[in-house]
Amino acid sequence: MNFIRSVGEQWKKSEFAGKIALVLADEIEVRNLFNGATKIMAVANLIAAMSYYGLDDEFLEENLDDAHMLIILFDCFRLLIVKQIEHDKLNQAEHLIIQIAKYYGSKTYASETEQGYTAELKLFQKHICDLCQKLEKLQSLRRSQYRSMGRNA
């Protein structure tokens, strides 16, 4: 029975990744990021793997709007920031997720959503912006340390 449940969950995760890929492909700015070897579906699968937590069937039937994408990408973004800080190594798909999260973090969201929901989105946007600034400072510091290592030898 567990095997059947696991296969079902993987199937739902695959459907979720397909929905994410469709949303990403609709955004011109995001689609322009995929000029390299990594495809949208590969990134969508990684996003789904990192953010899927047994969503209910009703959510899977809904269309993913920009607000939902921001929430999904925020979870992935935080995980990747931690990985970047601890290991200083991200693959191309992971770098793309960070760029996509930055894009969704800079978008303007409709004010017609519920007041608390809009406040939550603004908080996610602020966290993304703050973490990006901190990550850039860390990367700059690491680059300067690598450069100075050769001079001190």
Side-chain angles (χ1 to χ4, degrees), residues 4 7 29 35 43 45 57 65 67 75 93-94 101 109 117 126 129-130 135 140 145 149:
I4 294 171
V7 170
E29 293 85 357
N35 294 329
V43 172
N45 282 326
D57 293 332
D65 60 4
D75 290 339
E94 293 166 338
Y109 294 92
Y117 193 58
K126 182 180 177 341
C129 180
D130 291 347
L135 182 62
S140 176
Q145 286 176 343
M149 286 173 63

PDB file of all heavy atoms in Angstrom, residues 4 7 29 35 43 45 57 65 67 75 93-94 101 109 117 126 129-130 135 140 145 149:
ATOM      1  N   ILE A   4       2.084   2.066  -3.544  1.00  0.00           N
ATOM      2  CA  ILE A   4       1.052   2.699  -4.377  1.00  0.00           C
ATOM      3  C   ILE A   4       0.902   4.170  -3.986  1.00  0.00           C
ATOM      4  O   ILE A   4       0.791   5.046  -4.849  1.00  0.00           O
ATOM      5  CB  ILE A   4      -0.286   1.944  -4.251  1.00  0.00           C
ATOM      6  CG1 ILE A   4      -0.131   0.538  -4.852  1.00  0.00           C
ATOM      7  CG2 ILE A   4      -1.413   2.701  -4.925  1.00  0.00           C
ATOM      8  CD1 ILE A   4      -1.307  -0.362  -4.595  1.00  0.00           C
ATOM      9  N   VAL A   7       3.931   6.115  -5.367  1.00  0.00           N
ATOM     10  CA  VAL A   7       3.809   6.339  -6.810  1.00  0.00           C
ATOM     11  C   VAL A   7       2.794   7.444  -7.084  1.00  0.00           C
ATOM     12  O   VAL A   7       3.016   8.317  -7.925  1.00  0.00           O
ATOM     13  CB  VAL A   7       3.427   5.036  -7.548  1.00  0.00           C
ATOM     14  CG1 VAL A   7       3.072   5.302  -8.996  1.00  0.00           C
ATOM     15  CG2 VAL A   7       4.576   4.037  -7.459  1.00  0.00           C
ATOM     16  N   GLU A  29      10.578  37.298 -19.299  1.00  0.00           N
ATOM     17  CA  GLU A  29      11.832  37.551 -18.588  1.00  0.00           C
ATOM     18  C   GLU A  29      12.433  36.260 -18.034  1.00  0.00           C
ATOM     19  O   GLU A  29      13.637  36.076 -18.030  1.00  0.00           O
ATOM     20  CB  GLU A  29      11.626  38.555 -17.447  1.00  0.00           C
ATOM     21  CG  GLU A  29      11.281  39.956 -17.909  1.00  0.00           C
ATOM     22  CD  GLU A  29       9.789  40.146 -18.164  1.00  0.00           C
ATOM     23  OE1 GLU A  29       9.023  39.169 -18.042  1.00  0.00           O
ATOM     24  OE2 GLU A  29       9.387  41.267 -18.499  1.00  0.00           O
ATOM     25  N   ASN A  35      18.625  30.159 -21.923  1.00  0.00           N
ATOM     26  CA  ASN A  35      19.375  30.087 -23.167  1.00  0.00           C
ATOM     27  C   ASN A  35      20.503  29.071 -23.092  1.00  0.00           C
ATOM     28  O   ASN A  35      21.118  28.755 -24.086  1.00  0.00           O
ATOM     29  CB  ASN A  35      19.951  31.468 -23.524  1.00  0.00           C
ATOM     30  CG  ASN A  35      18.853  32.457 -23.846  1.00  0.00           C
ATOM     31  OD1 ASN A  35      17.806  32.080 -24.347  1.00  0.00           O
ATOM     32  ND2 ASN A  35      19.094  33.718 -23.551  1.00  0.00           N
ATOM     33  N   VAL A  43      14.270  22.651 -14.375  1.00  0.00           N
ATOM     34  CA  VAL A  43      14.164  23.589 -13.253  1.00  0.00           C
ATOM     35  C   VAL A  43      12.824  23.415 -12.546  1.00  0.00           C
ATOM     36  O   VAL A  43      12.747  23.423 -11.323  1.00  0.00           O
ATOM     37  CB  VAL A  43      14.380  25.041 -13.735  1.00  0.00           C
ATOM     38  CG1 VAL A  43      14.084  26.032 -12.629  1.00  0.00           C
ATOM     39  CG2 VAL A  43      15.802  25.218 -14.237  1.00  0.00           C
ATOM     40  N   ASN A  45      11.039  20.709 -12.358  1.00  0.00           N
ATOM     41  CA  ASN A  45      11.114  19.469 -11.566  1.00  0.00           C
ATOM     42  C   ASN A  45      11.865  19.693 -10.266  1.00  0.00           C
ATOM     43  O   ASN A  45      11.474  19.178  -9.212  1.00  0.00           O
ATOM     44  CB  ASN A  45      11.780  18.356 -12.373  1.00  0.00           C
ATOM     45  CG  ASN A  45      10.857  17.731 -13.377  1.00  0.00           C
ATOM     46  OD1 ASN A  45       9.661  17.602 -13.148  1.00  0.00           O
ATOM     47  ND2 ASN A  45      11.406  17.346 -14.516  1.00  0.00           N
ATOM     48  N   ASP A  57      -5.574  17.890  -3.509  1.00  0.00           N
ATOM     49  CA  ASP A  57      -5.969  17.807  -4.912  1.00  0.00           C
ATOM     50  C   ASP A  57      -6.600  19.091  -5.421  1.00  0.00           C
ATOM     51  O   ASP A  57      -6.446  19.440  -6.587  1.00  0.00           O
ATOM     52  CB  ASP A  57      -6.936  16.633  -5.122  1.00  0.00           C
ATOM     53  CG  ASP A  57      -6.244  15.297  -4.897  1.00  0.00           C
ATOM     54  OD1 ASP A  57      -5.016  15.222  -5.100  1.00  0.00           O
ATOM     55  OD2 ASP A  57      -6.942  14.329  -4.522  1.00  0.00           O
ATOM     56  N   ASP A  65      -0.934  31.260  -9.952  1.00  0.00           N
ATOM     57  CA  ASP A  65      -0.750  32.659 -10.301  1.00  0.00           C
ATOM     58  C   ASP A  65       0.602  33.130  -9.761  1.00  0.00           C
ATOM     59  O   ASP A  65       1.359  32.367  -9.161  1.00  0.00           O
ATOM     60  CB  ASP A  65      -1.906  33.512  -9.788  1.00  0.00           C
ATOM     61  CG  ASP A  65      -2.060  33.463  -8.277  1.00  0.00           C
ATOM     62  OD1 ASP A  65      -1.222  32.825  -7.604  1.00  0.00           O
ATOM     63  OD2 ASP A  65      -3.013  34.068  -7.768  1.00  0.00           O
ATOM     64  N   ALA A  67       1.320  35.104  -7.324  1.00  0.00           N
ATOM     65  CA  ALA A  67       1.430  35.054  -5.859  1.00  0.00           C
ATOM     66  C   ALA A  67       1.791  33.652  -5.386  1.00  0.00           C
ATOM     67  O   ALA A  67       2.651  33.484  -4.516  1.00  0.00           O
ATOM     68  CB  ALA A  67       0.122  35.523  -5.228  1.00  0.00           C
ATOM     69  N   ASP A  75      10.263  29.298  -0.735  1.00  0.00           N
ATOM     70  CA  ASP A  75      10.738  28.100  -0.036  1.00  0.00           C
ATOM     71  C   ASP A  75      12.020  27.568  -0.672  1.00  0.00           C
ATOM     72  O   ASP A  75      12.989  27.249   0.020  1.00  0.00           O
ATOM     73  CB  ASP A  75       9.671  27.006  -0.042  1.00  0.00           C
ATOM     74  CG  ASP A  75       8.485  27.325   0.840  1.00  0.00           C
ATOM     75  OD1 ASP A  75       8.624  28.159   1.754  1.00  0.00           O
ATOM     76  OD2 ASP A  75       7.406  26.737   0.610  1.00  0.00           O
ATOM     77  N   ALA A  93      20.866  24.807 -12.566  1.00  0.00           N
ATOM     78  CA  ALA A  93      19.428  24.848 -12.290  1.00  0.00           C
ATOM     79  C   ALA A  93      19.148  25.584 -10.984  1.00  0.00           C
ATOM     80  O   ALA A  93      18.189  26.363 -10.888  1.00  0.00           O
ATOM     81  CB  ALA A  93      18.860  23.431 -12.238  1.00  0.00           C
ATOM     82  N   GLU A  94      19.988  25.379  -9.991  1.00  0.00           N
ATOM     83  CA  GLU A  94      19.806  26.054  -8.707  1.00  0.00           C
ATOM     84  C   GLU A  94      20.050  27.556  -8.831  1.00  0.00           C
ATOM     85  O   GLU A  94      19.329  28.362  -8.247  1.00  0.00           O
ATOM     86  CB  GLU A  94      20.713  25.421  -7.655  1.00  0.00           C
ATOM     87  CG  GLU A  94      20.313  23.994  -7.321  1.00  0.00           C
ATOM     88  CD  GLU A  94      21.361  23.230  -6.545  1.00  0.00           C
ATOM     89  OE1 GLU A  94      22.560  23.598  -6.589  1.00  0.00           O
ATOM     90  OE2 GLU A  94      20.978  22.240  -5.877  1.00  0.00           O
ATOM     91  N   ALA A 101      13.458  33.479  -8.545  1.00  0.00           N
ATOM     92  CA  ALA A 101      12.915  33.989  -7.282  1.00  0.00           C
ATOM     93  C   ALA A 101      13.130  35.494  -7.174  1.00  0.00           C
ATOM     94  O   ALA A 101      12.246  36.223  -6.713  1.00  0.00           O
ATOM     95  CB  ALA A 101      13.552  33.266  -6.096  1.00  0.00           C
ATOM     96  N   TYR A 109       2.338  42.924  -7.097  1.00  0.00           N
ATOM     97  CA  TYR A 109       1.194  42.022  -6.994  1.00  0.00           C
ATOM     98  C   TYR A 109      -0.085  42.815  -6.794  1.00  0.00           C
ATOM     99  O   TYR A 109      -0.086  43.866  -6.151  1.00  0.00           O
ATOM    100  CB  TYR A 109       1.412  41.009  -5.862  1.00  0.00           C
ATOM    101  CG  TYR A 109       2.562  40.101  -6.191  1.00  0.00           C
ATOM    102  CD1 TYR A 109       3.853  40.399  -5.772  1.00  0.00           C
ATOM    103  CD2 TYR A 109       2.370  38.983  -6.976  1.00  0.00           C
ATOM    104  CE1 TYR A 109       4.916  39.598  -6.118  1.00  0.00           C
ATOM    105  CE2 TYR A 109       3.430  38.170  -7.321  1.00  0.00           C
ATOM    106  CZ  TYR A 109       4.696  38.480  -6.895  1.00  0.00           C
ATOM    107  OH  TYR A 109       5.750  37.684  -7.250  1.00  0.00           O
ATOM    108  N   TYR A 117      -2.871  38.555   2.991  1.00  0.00           N
ATOM    109  CA  TYR A 117      -2.148  37.838   1.951  1.00  0.00           C
ATOM    110  C   TYR A 117      -1.171  38.770   1.247  1.00  0.00           C
ATOM    111  O   TYR A 117      -0.035  38.409   0.987  1.00  0.00           O
ATOM    112  CB  TYR A 117      -3.170  37.257   0.970  1.00  0.00           C
ATOM    113  CG  TYR A 117      -2.632  36.235   0.007  1.00  0.00           C
ATOM    114  CD1 TYR A 117      -2.025  35.083   0.469  1.00  0.00           C
ATOM    115  CD2 TYR A 117      -2.749  36.422  -1.358  1.00  0.00           C
ATOM    116  CE1 TYR A 117      -1.545  34.132  -0.412  1.00  0.00           C
ATOM    117  CE2 TYR A 117      -2.276  35.487  -2.250  1.00  0.00           C
ATOM    118  CZ  TYR A 117      -1.676  34.346  -1.768  1.00  0.00           C
ATOM    119  OH  TYR A 117      -1.196  33.417  -2.640  1.00  0.00           O
ATOM    120  N   LYS A 126      10.502  41.256   0.596  1.00  0.00           N
ATOM    121  CA  LYS A 126      11.534  41.921   1.392  1.00  0.00           C
ATOM    122  C   LYS A 126      12.617  40.925   1.803  1.00  0.00           C
ATOM    123  O   LYS A 126      13.808  41.226   1.724  1.00  0.00           O
ATOM    124  CB  LYS A 126      10.910  42.570   2.629  1.00  0.00           C
ATOM    125  CG  LYS A 126      11.907  43.317   3.494  1.00  0.00           C
ATOM    126  CD  LYS A 126      11.238  43.927   4.695  1.00  0.00           C
ATOM    127  CE  LYS A 126      12.168  44.637   5.645  1.00  0.00           C
ATOM    128  NZ  LYS A 126      13.557  44.354   5.607  1.00  0.00           N
ATOM    129  N   CYS A 129      14.827  40.143  -1.198  1.00  0.00           N
ATOM    130  CA  CYS A 129      15.725  41.269  -1.469  1.00  0.00           C
ATOM    131  C   CYS A 129      16.855  41.325  -0.447  1.00  0.00           C
ATOM    132  O   CYS A 129      18.032  41.460  -0.814  1.00  0.00           O
ATOM    133  CB  CYS A 129      14.923  42.559  -1.474  1.00  0.00           C
ATOM    134  SG  CYS A 129      15.910  44.024  -1.809  1.00  0.00           S
ATOM    135  N   ASP A 130      16.527  41.203   0.821  1.00  0.00           N
ATOM    136  CA  ASP A 130      17.541  41.254   1.881  1.00  0.00           C
ATOM    137  C   ASP A 130      18.537  40.112   1.755  1.00  0.00           C
ATOM    138  O   ASP A 130      19.752  40.314   1.872  1.00  0.00           O
ATOM    139  CB  ASP A 130      16.886  41.207   3.262  1.00  0.00           C
ATOM    140  CG  ASP A 130      16.102  42.463   3.597  1.00  0.00           C
ATOM    141  OD1 ASP A 130      16.253  43.483   2.888  1.00  0.00           O
ATOM    142  OD2 ASP A 130      15.307  42.411   4.566  1.00  0.00           O
ATOM    143  N   LEU A 135      23.795  37.766   0.270  1.00  0.00           N
ATOM    144  CA  LEU A 135      24.511  36.771  -0.517  1.00  0.00           C
ATOM    145  C   LEU A 135      25.540  37.434  -1.430  1.00  0.00           C
ATOM    146  O   LEU A 135      26.656  36.932  -1.570  1.00  0.00           O
ATOM    147  CB  LEU A 135      23.523  35.935  -1.341  1.00  0.00           C
ATOM    148  CG  LEU A 135      24.130  34.818  -2.178  1.00  0.00           C
ATOM    149  CD1 LEU A 135      24.813  33.792  -1.279  1.00  0.00           C
ATOM    150  CD2 LEU A 135      23.063  34.144  -3.020  1.00  0.00           C
ATOM    151  N   SER A 140      31.138  38.471  -2.736  1.00  0.00           N
ATOM    152  CA  SER A 140      32.205  39.448  -2.952  1.00  0.00           C
ATOM    153  C   SER A 140      33.355  39.213  -1.975  1.00  0.00           C
ATOM    154  O   SER A 140      34.532  39.254  -2.358  1.00  0.00           O
ATOM    155  CB  SER A 140      31.635  40.853  -2.795  1.00  0.00           C
ATOM    156  OG  SER A 140      32.649  41.798  -2.912  1.00  0.00           O
ATOM    157  N   GLN A 145      38.832  37.028  -0.962  1.00  0.00           N
ATOM    158  CA  GLN A 145      39.696  36.114  -0.221  1.00  0.00           C
ATOM    159  C   GLN A 145      40.428  35.169  -1.168  1.00  0.00           C
ATOM    160  O   GLN A 145      41.605  34.893  -0.977  1.00  0.00           O
ATOM    161  CB  GLN A 145      38.878  35.309   0.782  1.00  0.00           C
ATOM    162  CG  GLN A 145      38.431  36.098   1.978  1.00  0.00           C
ATOM    163  CD  GLN A 145      37.532  35.294   2.917  1.00  0.00           C
ATOM    164  OE1 GLN A 145      36.988  34.270   2.536  1.00  0.00           O
ATOM    165  NE2 GLN A 145      37.372  35.787   4.129  1.00  0.00           N
ATOM    166  N   MET A 149      44.583  35.090  -1.708  1.00  0.00           N
ATOM    167  CA  MET A 149      45.310  33.869  -1.325  1.00  0.00           C
ATOM    168  C   MET A 149      46.546  33.690  -2.199  1.00  0.00           C
ATOM    169  O   MET A 149      47.601  33.295  -1.722  1.00  0.00           O
ATOM    170  CB  MET A 149      44.407  32.644  -1.431  1.00  0.00           C
ATOM    171  CG  MET A 149      43.384  32.559  -0.322  1.00  0.00           C
ATOM    172  SD  MET A 149      42.189  31.216  -0.572  1.00  0.00           S
ATOM    173  CE  MET A 149      43.247  29.804  -0.518  1.00  0.00           C
TER     174      MET A 149
END
